[in-house]
Amino acid sequence: MKSDLQTPLDLEEIDFSHIPVLSQEVITGLNIQAGGNYLDLTIGGGGHSRLILETAEDVKITAVDQDLDALNAAKENLSEFGNRVNFIHSNFANYQFPENTYDGILADLGVSSYHLDNPERGFSFRNAASLDMRMNQQQSLTAGDIINEWEEKELADIFFKYGEERLSRKIARRIVENRPFNTTTELANAIAYSVPPKYRYGRIHPATRVFQALRIAVNDELKVLETLIEKAPKALITGGKIAIISFHSLEDRIVKHGLRNLSLLRILTKKPIIATEEEIKENPRSRSAKLRIAERKNID
């Protein structure tokens, strides 16, 4: 069935442009210093890293990303900085954090515009695409595997846990009754027609929370975030800063409590830093961004 909920998109040219959110707040919070050594765990298109490199002389960056498309785009976008940037293809949870090395660490947990706007990656239901959602396309598990193979209770559980979807059971039942699904729009339609009309035509598309939950499950996002918070602070030098930008309450809760519970860190942001109205107008995807910053203590 062709979706009337689908929004056409001009796909002639999709690149890995990265409009860095909370950019000035990140630069100020990390206190970029000349000759500093910084770690960008989610390089994306290189937006934040470019700002760091341009802020002070002789800054060096280790740039990590699990998505080869992102890494290749960043290599091109930051080519002028030469060997000041070291690129590493890895999920940040698997990165071998060297102890007492970095003046600052940044993790921007948001899904990039490239992922949302490129239908081939399957993150969005605005255009028909395969149910993929893998950040690292070398891994095997896809959203299609979860939707078409997992038990109804498992689906309901991830929709509720990762998407905070209150109609998770009803949606999961509809999916199981109508699978297999091959495309994002097929799945989005099935979700839309499994909920009451008032919910179907609400402020957000009824498939939004389910797609968020699938993306989190495919990429094991909350577990790798917990691993990041456990490992990364040890890689800071004394006085070094860690800045983490999250985009939904599940992530922010982990960041808030994870940073607070580490004895080697001092919290610098009692409340998360959010985008200004001016930034939100220029970049609507910054609306939900929350930045938390902590500093490594001098612990003998």
Side-chain angles (χ1 to χ4, degrees):
M1 177 173 62
K2 189 173 180 64
S3 171
D4 58 352
L5 300 167
Q6 199 173 325
T7 302
L9 180 68
D10 182 1
L11 302 176
E12 287 184 6
E13 187 174 332
I14 298 177
D15 59 17
F16 218 117
S17 62
H18 179 202
I19 303 173
V21 300
L22 299 170
S23 56
Q24 189 53 56
E25 292 84 352
V26 166
I27 297 301
T28 301
L30 289 177
N31 190 26
I32 308 300
Q33 299 293 315
N37 189 12
Y38 297 89
L39 174 62
D40 187 343
L41 289 166
T42 47
I43 185 69
H48 282 113
S49 280
R50 171 172 285 279
L51 292 173
I52 293 171
L53 289 159
E54 291 175 342
T55 296
E57 294 182 359
D58 300 322
V59 167
K60 290 184 172 58
I61 284 185
T62 299
V64 179
D65 209 293
Q66 63 179 324
D67 190 324
L68 275 175
D69 285 352
L71 212 59
N72 289 330
K75 286 179 180 178
E76 182 177 345
N77 293 341
L78 302 176
S79 60
E80 68 198 80
F81 299 100
N83 60 10
R84 289 171 61 189
V85 188
N86 177 31
F87 296 95
I88 296 176
H89 179 224
S90 174
N91 183 301
F92 53 61
N94 298 327
Y95 176 66
Q96 299 300 308
F97 291 90
E99 294 192 6
N100 304 302
T101 299
Y102 298 109
D103 296 275
I105 297 174
L106 171 66
D108 176 358
L109 306 176
V111 181
S112 71
S113 299
Y114 171 85
H115 288 127
L116 294 171
D117 294 343
N118 187 343
E120 293 181 2
R121 301 299 294 269
F123 285 92
S124 170
F125 47 80
R126 289 182 296 172
N127 289 79
S130 63
L131 288 162
D132 192 329
M133 299 195 190
R134 293 172 297 169
M135 291 288 189
N136 181 357
Q137 293 188 294
Q138 295 179 354
Q139 77 173 47
S140 58
L141 181 69
T142 68
D145 295 331
I146 293 175
I147 285 297
N148 292 319
E149 297 174 13
W150 286 22
E151 299 291 332
E152 180 179 325
K153 183 180 184 304
E154 290 180 290
L155 293 177
D157 285 349
I158 66 167
F159 298 161
F160 183 77
K161 181 179 179 182
Y162 296 154
E164 300 179 295
E165 174 52 70
R166 62 186 181 85
L167 297 177
S168 58
R169 292 182 182 179
K170 182 175 289 189
I171 292 170
R173 188 177 310 118
R174 172 85 176 199
I175 287 171
V176 170
E177 290 172 350
N178 289 274
R179 63 188 185 187
F181 293 93
N182 296 312
T183 69
T184 53
T185 48
E186 289 174 354
L187 177 61
N189 280 333
I191 295 167
Y193 290 103
S194 67
V195 301
K198 66 175 182 178
Y199 190 70
R200 189 182 309 160
Y201 299 107
R203 186 174 59 86
I204 65 170
H205 191 290
T208 301
R209 294 186 181 92
V210 171
F211 271 63
Q212 172 183 297
L214 281 172
R215 193 198 77 228
I216 291 173
V218 168
N219 299 289
D220 202 14
E221 292 180 19
L222 302 187
K223 179 63 176 177
V224 299
L225 176 56
E226 290 171 355
T227 302
L228 160 68
I229 293 172
E230 175 189 345
K231 291 182 176 181
K234 298 173 186 176
L236 290 168
I237 63 170
T238 299
K241 314 292 194 299
I242 181 169
I244 303 178
I245 304 172
S246 62
F247 285 82
H248 55 75
S249 60
L250 298 176
E251 289 177 337
D252 183 56
R253 199 173 301 134
I254 292 172
V255 175
K256 176 183 177 180
H257 294 293
L259 296 178
R260 179 184 294 171
N261 293 337
L262 288 172
S263 60
L264 78 168
L265 291 179
R266 177 186 296 106
I267 303 302
L268 300 181
T269 49
K270 291 184 178 180
K271 293 183 178 180
I273 298 171
I274 60 174
T276 62
E277 287 299 322
E278 182 180 354
E279 179 176 1
I280 292 171
K281 287 178 182 177
E282 294 179 1
N283 180 15
R285 285 174 179 162
S286 68
R287 181 181 301 277
S288 55
K290 293 182 178 180
L291 169 64
R292 294 186 185 271
I293 305 169
E295 176 183 54
R296 179 160 183 173
K297 299 176 186 176
N298 184 6
I299 300 177
D300 297 324

